[in-house]
Amino acid sequence: MFLSFGVCIALEMVLFVFANDSSQIDETTAILQKFKNLEEEVSMLKQRELKTSEEISMLKQRELKTLEEVSMLKQMLNSCQGGWNEFSKSKLGIRRGRLVPEGRQSQIAFHVHLTHNINNLGVHQAIEFDYVLLNEGNGYSVYTGHFVAPVSGLYVFAWTISSGDYTCIVYDVVKNNEILVHFISDAADHNDWAVSSGTAVTRMNSGDRVWIRVSDIHVPCSHTVYGAGLGTSSFAGYLLN
């Protein structure tokens, strides 16, 4: 069967239009797919934003909880410090940075002897009593011969210093380089012992020192002290009040 020329032209035109419509459909489909993809991406972004907001909210809650815990710890610490201060006031005696248990201030005392003779002591040289009979409060040092007051208060000191067999010693009892008393044991002109003893009462602050030293008063003297470990030369003291 043969078609007329006019029919053929019409068929070609129909096919051309159909072909153009098919191309437009493909473009429209692609555009719609892009819109769909964008909608999915926007949805995902919204979900992420929501999740991020939830995480931020959780972090804020944690921060608030942490601040509350810190506040509670501070209150507990203040309470502990207040309790410690009350304990310190009620159970401890405080004297210029030294802590002494309450009821033990009156138990500060020392008693020391010299166990050997010391010859030719120098001016202002301390007599270092080397044998400790008592040292409550650890105020006396055998290395310096000094007593250091552990707490402030009223102290009593006593001493005996001996010389013998044509020797003598002139000495001072000193508190912080201030002379409390001045004594001499003088056997320079005879073959026998000379003994001097004394007592001093003085108020001391915590950290003040008392010791016995050779005097700088010019007296012809050998500055020899006799010690036999039996109290022939001794030094003692205690807290009175």
Side-chain angles (χ1 to χ4, degrees), residues 202-221:
T202 184
R203 184 167 296 279
M204 300 180 69
N205 293 320
S206 175
D208 284 351
R209 297 170 177 265
V210 170
W211 70 98
I212 300 175
R213 72 182 187 188
V214 174
S215 177
D216 58 5
I217 295 178
H218 181 68
V219 175
C221 207

Side-chain angles (χ1 to χ4, degrees), residues 47-59:
Q47 291 177 359
R48 290 180 182 176
E49 181 183 7
L50 179 61
K51 186 176 181 181
T52 302
S53 298
E54 291 175 350
E55 291 176 349
I56 291 173
S57 177
M58 290 178 63
L59 289 173

